[in-house]
Amino acid sequence: MIWQQLQSLIGSYPLALRGLAMTIALSLLSLILGTLIGFFLGVLRTKGNRLIIRVIGAWVDLIRGTPFLVQIFLIFFILPELGIELDAFTAGIIALTNLAACFICEIVAAGIRSVPTGQVEAALASGLSQWHRMRQVVLPQAMRVALPPLVGQYVLLIKDSSVVSAIGLTDLTRVGWLVVQRVPNGLLVFAIVGAGYFVVCYPLILLARRLEKNMNAAHGEVQL
Amino acid sequence: MIKFRGVNKWFGALHVLKDITLNVEPREVVVVCGPSGSGKSTLIRCINGLETIKNGDLVVDGQRLGDRATNMTELRTEVGFVFQSFNLYPHKTALENVILAPIHVRKIPKAEAEIAGREMLAKVGLADKFNSYPAELSGGQQQRVAIARCLCMRPKIMLFDEPTSALDPEMISEVLDVMVGVAEEGMTMMVVTHEMGFARKVARRVVFMDAGAIVETGPPEEFFSNPKTDRSRAFLSKILRH
């Protein structure tokens, strides 16, 4: 019985690989886009004008306060009503990027706020422009605070990408659903699906740990 | 070089600078002292625009602060500022701290900036610490890096905000020695400090502040031996008692 199931599972490895590739593509694309947008919003959130800060704050709260599944449905089913046709992949990327950007914005803003004002004053006093103050002085120090939660957020993002299976994208989770219909052993099938996610996430977790260690070693606090 | 005329400033309801009028000539060294909360730090922080003034005139290096024509970033490149808490960039080595502004503000090529930076660090006695991070340096060494960081910009004015108050006693003199050297090279300096030895040695004038106002100014010898007001007498008797 179990032998048959295993054979049948091995037979569906091309499908599993496609699912894994879809999960990685979704995560990677939205991770890169979300990081870029999140950094931009995070800087604006601490340095921009009051209206922009309010608008970003409200949007972040809205996204953080609603389930991701609902956000995906809204994007996938409501936008076409407004005349914007989206395929499932684009909708998934938009939803994931938006989610990532909102969380990363908060992480980056918290990192920037953690940099002592004395650092900004020193940079200001030496005549550095706003860009160089940010790039050379504030962001490197903000990153030390932001990096561990940032990589943690990447791991969450990869796992959240499983929700896009709800709009029909054949990612790793959906492959699990498809396979389990042929191989009626949910425990086995979803253990393998779980292992697939873990294989992608675990190196990231290790990376976060190493980065944290390296940065702590290199960038000590100023001692008074 | 620095001209205050009728300058006032408030923090909320608190009147922190009261009708300040003061003139600092080129190459002059002025020591500012007074009890804590008297507005001395605020006074020098106004000069490079870390604080803004409410009314009155403040002219630095021929440029009036608050004027539209005055570019604060440009003005700040001519004014070095040394902080009480050093404020070195903790993620950069001593040399990187020193060359950051010359490279990005003065647009000096990196190799050239490094040569000048090494020279400046050697001058403040840190020739063996180019590649140390601030956390690996003592307080006195950090403050000397901070002074070198300012000097590398070749400023016209140097401002010091209690540069030795965060230091252990045995490190104070190494920082003061560097400051005396800077003064003797003819730098225009305003120094907020209670180091009376330093004031006697290099200051042309001592400015005594209390409750946001300048109460007394005079040459250090005269101020220390024969203070004219009750408040300066009371202040001096407190800091000179030990």
Side-chain angles (χ1 to χ4, degrees), chain A residues 118-119 121 124 136 222-223, chain B residues 45 73 76 87-88 91 142:
Chain A
Q119 290 293 312
E121 286 188 348
L124 208 58
Q136 299 290 337
V222 182
Q223 284 174 342
Chain B
R45 285 167 62 87
T73 308
R76 285 184 182 121
N87 294 352
L88 291 183
H91 56 298
Q142 287 188 51

Side-chain angles (χ1 to χ4, degrees), chain A residues 156-176:
Chain A
L156 285 179
L157 183 73
I158 292 169
K159 295 192 292 183
D160 278 341
S161 76
S162 69
V163 178
V164 298
S165 59
I167 53 171
L169 278 174
T170 315
D171 74 332
L172 203 51
T173 303
R174 189 165 174 82
V175 167

Side-chain angles (χ1 to χ4, degrees), chain A residues 149-197:
Chain A
L150 194 63
V151 180
Q153 192 58 47
Y154 291 161
V155 173
L156 285 179
L157 183 73
I158 292 169
K159 295 192 292 183
D160 278 341
S161 76
S162 69
V163 178
V164 298
S165 59
I167 53 171
L169 278 174
T170 315
D171 74 332
L172 203 51
T173 303
R174 189 165 174 82
V175 167
W177 282 115
L178 294 175
V179 170
V180 89
Q181 284 162 23
R182 280 194 293 119
V183 186
N185 188 338
L187 183 65
L188 185 63
V189 169
F190 279 98
I192 294 171
V193 168
Y197 279 103

Side-chain angles (χ1 to χ4, degrees), chain B residues 56-71:
Chain B
D57 276 336
L58 175 49
V59 179
V60 179
D61 190 26
Q63 302 191 68
R64 193 169 166 274
L65 270 69
D67 268 4
R68 265 166 201 272
T70 302
N71 182 334

Side-chain angles (χ1 to χ4, degrees), chain B residues 102-115:
Chain B
I103 289 175
H104 294 294
V105 180
R106 292 268 193 241
K107 310 287 179 202
I108 295 170
K110 192 172 180 217
E112 212 174 294
E114 278 184 352
I115 294 171

